Amino acid sequence: MTPPPVMRLIALGASNLTRLCLAVLDAAREQAQGPVEAHLALGRGRSFGVKSRLLGRELPGIDGCGLWRALGDCPELPTTAFVTDVGNDVLYGVEVPRILAWVESALQRLSRHTDRVVVAGLPMGTLRPLSAWRFAFVRSLLVPGCRLTLAQTLDAAERLHAGLARLAERHGATFCEPEPSWYGFDPVHIRRRCAGAAVRRWLGMTPAGGTMPPLDGTLARLRLLFARPHERAWFGVARRHAQPARCFADGTTLSLW
């Protein structure tokens, strides 16, 4: 018989959370020393408040996704949450106060369901030294329609980073400063070999006694690639899918919102 989850993990993010999803689950399972009930609102290019589109796929903003209703129906369980990847909306042209309002709404909602919340700041240690050509190259890959200059982007990023720190303090959350060593040429996406260090900082976790067999691996990543979130649209056609999207042999479940 599959054992029930011993803790719940809630995570809000975008491309970093998507790329490191299985590493996040492994860190949580190791800390819990048992199965985890994971609820992740993620997606490459995900916005915290507006619909985001990428290659024909559309996801709702995290502020309006189905996660919040689902959490209201969840039984009590020790719960950790973290918030990361908040910078996408800067490149979408959203004003910093509006982004911070979305994050504050998320923190207020999370406080009803969690024992601990971690907020990750922007990787300012890699953004501040950016050259104009490198910024233009990365911007053209990530958000081709963005026309912000490097100076405008850095100004917004600094204000957003400082605002996230203030929100974390106001709502009793832990603020996490990303380490520049986690990044390479790409100044916003964490290198895979640094995944373990990053997710442990995000989650505020250290290894407990013993180990859990890892979920991360090539086959698991391929299966995750085809996992279907609760709500998305393909070329304008809306689709909904029951959650959890994945159930693992140890009893860990993964719901995508």
Side-chain angles (χ1 to χ4, degrees), residues 192-215:
R192 191 170 296 279
R193 65 183 177 87
C194 298
V199 299
R200 291 185 187 285
R201 281 282 303 279
W202 281 347
L203 299 176
M205 293 178 173
T206 56
T211 59
M212 297 286 289
L215 301 175

Side-chain angles (χ1 to χ4, degrees), residues 116-141:
R116 185 171 188 271
V117 180
V118 178
V119 177
L122 276 61
M124 299 310 303
T126 62
L127 294 177
R128 293 182 183 114
L130 273 180
S131 62
W133 74 267
R134 188 176 165 206
F135 166 76
F137 178 76
V138 173
R139 182 194 61 185
S140 67
L141 290 178

Side-chain angles (χ1 to χ4, degrees), residues 142-197:
L142 299 181
V143 188
C146 177
R147 292 295 176 265
L148 292 176
T149 66
L150 174 58
Q152 290 170 327
T153 302
L154 285 178
D155 175 68
E158 293 280 9
R159 290 184 286 117
L160 180 56
H161 183 73
L164 291 172
R166 290 193 298 271
L167 285 181
E169 182 178 11
R170 184 184 307 164
H171 291 277
T174 300
F175 185 68
C176 173
E177 293 264 8
E179 294 286 344
S181 60
W182 295 346
Y183 304 84
F185 177 80
D186 183 339
V188 295
H189 291 119
I190 294 168
R191 292 182 287 188
R192 191 170 296 279
R193 65 183 177 87
C194 298

